[in-house]
PDB file of all heavy atoms in Angstrom:
ATOM      1  N   ILE A  41     -28.905   1.104  -9.260  1.00 95.00           N
ATOM      2  CA  ILE A  41     -28.165   0.819 -10.482  1.00 95.00           C
ATOM      3  C   ILE A  41     -28.575  -0.567 -11.047  1.00 95.00           C
ATOM      4  O   ILE A  41     -28.805  -1.416 -10.287  1.00 95.00           O
ATOM      5  CB  ILE A  41     -26.590   0.827 -10.173  1.00 95.00           C
ATOM      6  CG1 ILE A  41     -26.224   2.155  -9.707  1.00 95.00           C
ATOM      7  CG2 ILE A  41     -25.817   0.305 -11.429  1.00 95.00           C
ATOM      8  CD1 ILE A  41     -24.765   2.129  -9.138  1.00 95.00           C
ATOM      9  N   GLU A  42     -28.838  -0.554 -12.402  1.00 96.00           N
ATOM     10  CA  GLU A  42     -29.089  -1.875 -13.085  1.00 96.00           C
ATOM     11  C   GLU A  42     -27.634  -2.436 -13.232  1.00 96.00           C
ATOM     12  O   GLU A  42     -26.924  -2.121 -14.031  1.00 96.00           O
ATOM     13  CB  GLU A  42     -29.658  -1.688 -14.466  1.00 96.00           C
ATOM     14  CG  GLU A  42     -30.976  -1.255 -14.535  1.00 96.00           C
ATOM     15  CD  GLU A  42     -31.289  -0.808 -16.011  1.00 96.00           C
ATOM     16  OE1 GLU A  42     -31.031  -1.556 -16.948  1.00 96.00           O
ATOM     17  OE2 GLU A  42     -31.799   0.351 -16.107  1.00 96.00           O
ATOM     18  N   VAL A  43     -27.400  -3.486 -12.350  1.00 96.00           N
ATOM     19  CA  VAL A  43     -26.081  -3.961 -12.218  1.00 96.00           C
ATOM     20  C   VAL A  43     -25.783  -4.830 -13.483  1.00 96.00           C
ATOM     21  O   VAL A  43     -26.534  -5.756 -13.846  1.00 96.00           O
ATOM     22  CB  VAL A  43     -25.857  -4.799 -10.941  1.00 96.00           C
ATOM     23  CG1 VAL A  43     -24.479  -5.425 -10.859  1.00 96.00           C
ATOM     24  CG2 VAL A  43     -26.219  -3.937  -9.727  1.00 96.00           C
ATOM     25  N   GLU A  44     -24.592  -4.664 -14.056  1.00 97.00           N
ATOM     26  CA  GLU A  44     -24.075  -5.503 -15.179  1.00 97.00           C
ATOM     27  C   GLU A  44     -22.925  -6.306 -14.847  1.00 97.00           C
ATOM     28  O   GLU A  44     -22.665  -7.341 -15.321  1.00 97.00           O
ATOM     29  CB  GLU A  44     -23.854  -4.575 -16.456  1.00 97.00           C
ATOM     30  CG  GLU A  44     -25.217  -4.144 -16.892  1.00 97.00           C
ATOM     31  CD  GLU A  44     -25.040  -3.086 -18.043  1.00 97.00           C
ATOM     32  OE1 GLU A  44     -24.078  -2.404 -18.108  1.00 97.00           O
ATOM     33  OE2 GLU A  44     -26.053  -2.846 -18.823  1.00 97.00           O
ATOM     34  N   LYS A  45     -22.142  -5.759 -13.825  1.00 97.00           N
ATOM     35  CA  LYS A  45     -20.938  -6.481 -13.388  1.00 97.00           C
ATOM     36  C   LYS A  45     -20.520  -6.041 -12.041  1.00 97.00           C
ATOM     37  O   LYS A  45     -20.594  -4.757 -11.766  1.00 97.00           O
ATOM     38  CB  LYS A  45     -19.814  -6.182 -14.443  1.00 97.00           C
ATOM     39  CG  LYS A  45     -18.550  -6.962 -14.186  1.00 97.00           C
ATOM     40  CD  LYS A  45     -18.587  -8.354 -14.634  1.00 97.00           C
ATOM     41  CE  LYS A  45     -17.421  -9.177 -14.059  1.00 97.00           C
ATOM     42  NZ  LYS A  45     -17.561 -10.608 -14.345  1.00 97.00           N
ATOM     43  N   GLU A  46     -20.208  -6.932 -11.210  1.00 96.00           N
ATOM     44  CA  GLU A  46     -19.545  -6.654  -9.972  1.00 96.00           C
ATOM     45  C   GLU A  46     -18.178  -7.127  -9.829  1.00 96.00           C
ATOM     46  O   GLU A  46     -17.986  -8.327 -10.175  1.00 96.00           O
ATOM     47  CB  GLU A  46     -20.448  -7.238  -8.797  1.00 96.00           C
ATOM     48  CG  GLU A  46     -21.772  -6.497  -8.527  1.00 96.00           C
ATOM     49  CD  GLU A  46     -22.572  -7.194  -7.544  1.00 96.00           C
ATOM     50  OE1 GLU A  46     -22.192  -8.243  -6.944  1.00 96.00           O
ATOM     51  OE2 GLU A  46     -23.647  -6.661  -7.169  1.00 96.00           O
ATOM     52  N   VAL A  47     -17.263  -6.368  -9.378  1.00 96.00           N
ATOM     53  CA  VAL A  47     -15.876  -6.779  -9.250  1.00 96.00           C
ATOM     54  C   VAL A  47     -15.443  -6.478  -7.843  1.00 96.00           C
ATOM     55  O   VAL A  47     -15.399  -5.333  -7.355  1.00 96.00           O
ATOM     56  CB  VAL A  47     -14.948  -6.088 -10.232  1.00 96.00           C
ATOM     57  CG1 VAL A  47     -13.566  -6.698 -10.102  1.00 96.00           C
ATOM     58  CG2 VAL A  47     -15.502  -6.193 -11.702  1.00 96.00           C
ATOM     59  N   ALA A  48     -15.046  -7.560  -7.108  1.00 94.00           N
ATOM     60  CA  ALA A  48     -14.537  -7.454  -5.678  1.00 94.00           C
ATOM     61  C   ALA A  48     -13.194  -6.723  -5.637  1.00 94.00           C
ATOM     62  O   ALA A  48     -12.342  -6.922  -6.506  1.00 94.00           O
ATOM     63  CB  ALA A  48     -14.438  -8.812  -5.039  1.00 94.00           C
ATOM     64  N   TYR A  49     -13.077  -5.785  -4.678  1.00 94.00           N
ATOM     65  CA  TYR A  49     -11.845  -4.957  -4.585  1.00 94.00           C
ATOM     66  C   TYR A  49     -10.600  -5.958  -4.531  1.00 94.00           C
ATOM     67  O   TYR A  49      -9.546  -5.664  -5.099  1.00 94.00           O
ATOM     68  CB  TYR A  49     -11.797  -4.124  -3.332  1.00 94.00           C
ATOM     69  CG  TYR A  49     -12.890  -3.026  -3.333  1.00 94.00           C
ATOM     70  CD1 TYR A  49     -13.225  -2.402  -2.204  1.00 94.00           C
ATOM     71  CD2 TYR A  49     -13.456  -2.568  -4.496  1.00 94.00           C
ATOM     72  CE1 TYR A  49     -14.139  -1.435  -2.087  1.00 94.00           C
ATOM     73  CE2 TYR A  49     -14.388  -1.528  -4.492  1.00 94.00           C
ATOM     74  CZ  TYR A  49     -14.640  -0.937  -3.325  1.00 94.00           C
ATOM     75  OH  TYR A  49     -15.639   0.044  -3.267  1.00 94.00           O
ATOM     76  N   GLU A  50     -10.854  -7.051  -3.829  1.00 92.00           N
ATOM     77  CA  GLU A  50      -9.665  -7.926  -3.626  1.00 92.00           C
ATOM     78  C   GLU A  50      -9.201  -8.580  -4.832  1.00 92.00           C
ATOM     79  O   GLU A  50      -8.023  -9.098  -4.875  1.00 92.00           O
ATOM     80  CB  GLU A  50      -9.986  -8.994  -2.485  1.00 92.00           C
ATOM     81  CG  GLU A  50     -11.195  -9.860  -2.895  1.00 92.00           C
ATOM     82  CD  GLU A  50     -11.565 -10.724  -1.792  1.00 92.00           C
ATOM     83  OE1 GLU A  50     -10.901 -10.708  -0.625  1.00 92.00           O
ATOM     84  OE2 GLU A  50     -12.418 -11.599  -1.970  1.00 92.00           O
ATOM     85  N   ASP A  51      -9.962  -8.585  -5.894  1.00 95.00           N
ATOM     86  CA  ASP A  51      -9.559  -9.211  -7.229  1.00 95.00           C
ATOM     87  C   ASP A  51      -8.833  -8.193  -8.098  1.00 95.00           C
ATOM     88  O   ASP A  51      -8.298  -8.571  -9.110  1.00 95.00           O
ATOM     89  CB  ASP A  51     -10.767  -9.792  -7.940  1.00 95.00           C
ATOM     90  CG  ASP A  51     -11.347 -10.927  -7.168  1.00 95.00           C
ATOM     91  OD1 ASP A  51     -10.607 -11.565  -6.319  1.00 95.00           O
ATOM     92  OD2 ASP A  51     -12.567 -11.209  -7.359  1.00 95.00           O
ATOM     93  N   ILE A  52      -8.934  -6.918  -7.773  1.00 96.00           N
ATOM     94  CA  ILE A  52      -8.367  -5.872  -8.656  1.00 96.00           C
ATOM     95  C   ILE A  52      -6.909  -5.620  -8.313  1.00 96.00           C
ATOM     96  O   ILE A  52      -6.615  -5.330  -7.175  1.00 96.00           O
ATOM     97  CB  ILE A  52      -9.217  -4.594  -8.533  1.00 96.00           C
ATOM     98  CG1 ILE A  52     -10.705  -4.759  -8.680  1.00 96.00           C
ATOM     99  CG2 ILE A  52      -8.720  -3.521  -9.523  1.00 96.00           C
ATOM    100  CD1 ILE A  52     -11.524  -3.633  -8.389  1.00 96.00           C
ATOM    101  N   PRO A  53      -6.023  -5.769  -9.260  1.00 96.00           N
ATOM    102  CA  PRO A  53      -4.624  -5.570  -8.945  1.00 96.00           C
ATOM    103  C   PRO A  53      -4.367  -4.178  -8.278  1.00 96.00           C
ATOM    104  O   PRO A  53      -4.934  -3.187  -8.725  1.00 96.00           O
ATOM    105  CB  PRO A  53      -3.898  -5.618 -10.405  1.00 96.00           C
ATOM    106  CG  PRO A  53      -4.843  -6.285 -11.221  1.00 96.00           C
ATOM    107  CD  PRO A  53      -6.207  -6.125 -10.682  1.00 96.00           C
ATOM    108  N   ASN A  54      -3.560  -4.243  -7.177  1.00 94.00           N
ATOM    109  CA  ASN A  54      -3.171  -3.090  -6.481  1.00 94.00           C
ATOM    110  C   ASN A  54      -4.290  -2.229  -5.760  1.00 94.00           C
ATOM    111  O   ASN A  54      -4.042  -1.139  -5.201  1.00 94.00           O
ATOM    112  CB  ASN A  54      -2.462  -2.059  -7.493  1.00 94.00           C
ATOM    113  CG  ASN A  54      -1.383  -2.771  -8.295  1.00 94.00           C
ATOM    114  OD1 ASN A  54      -0.599  -3.504  -7.700  1.00 94.00           O
ATOM    115  ND2 ASN A  54      -1.307  -2.539  -9.520  1.00 94.00           N
ATOM    116  N   PHE A  55      -5.404  -2.744  -5.843  1.00 94.00           N
ATOM    117  CA  PHE A  55      -6.611  -2.000  -5.096  1.00 94.00           C
ATOM    118  C   PHE A  55      -6.470  -2.169  -3.664  1.00 94.00           C
ATOM    119  O   PHE A  55      -6.074  -3.275  -3.214  1.00 94.00           O
ATOM    120  CB  PHE A  55      -7.932  -2.627  -5.576  1.00 94.00           C
ATOM    121  CG  PHE A  55      -9.031  -1.674  -5.880  1.00 94.00           C
ATOM    122  CD1 PHE A  55      -8.861  -0.836  -7.126  1.00 94.00           C
ATOM    123  CD2 PHE A  55     -10.112  -1.489  -5.159  1.00 94.00           C
ATOM    124  CE1 PHE A  55      -9.899   0.087  -7.396  1.00 94.00           C
ATOM    125  CE2 PHE A  55     -11.087  -0.506  -5.314  1.00 94.00           C
ATOM    126  CZ  PHE A  55     -11.009   0.220  -6.535  1.00 94.00           C
ATOM    127  N   PRO A  56      -6.738  -1.154  -2.887  1.00 91.00           N
ATOM    128  CA  PRO A  56      -6.730  -1.310  -1.400  1.00 91.00           C
ATOM    129  C   PRO A  56      -7.848  -2.337  -1.080  1.00 91.00           C
ATOM    130  O   PRO A  56      -8.914  -2.376  -1.794  1.00 91.00           O
ATOM    131  CB  PRO A  56      -7.054   0.119  -0.846  1.00 91.00           C
ATOM    132  CG  PRO A  56      -7.245   0.919  -1.983  1.00 91.00           C
ATOM    133  CD  PRO A  56      -7.146   0.170  -3.246  1.00 91.00           C
TER     134      PRO A  56
END
Side-chain angles (χ1 to χ4, degrees):
I41 299 171
E42 286 169 52
V43 179
E44 291 170 337
K45 183 78 193 173
E46 287 177 356
V47 186
Y49 293 162
E50 60 187 2
D51 293 337
I52 308 170
N54 311 313
F55 225 72

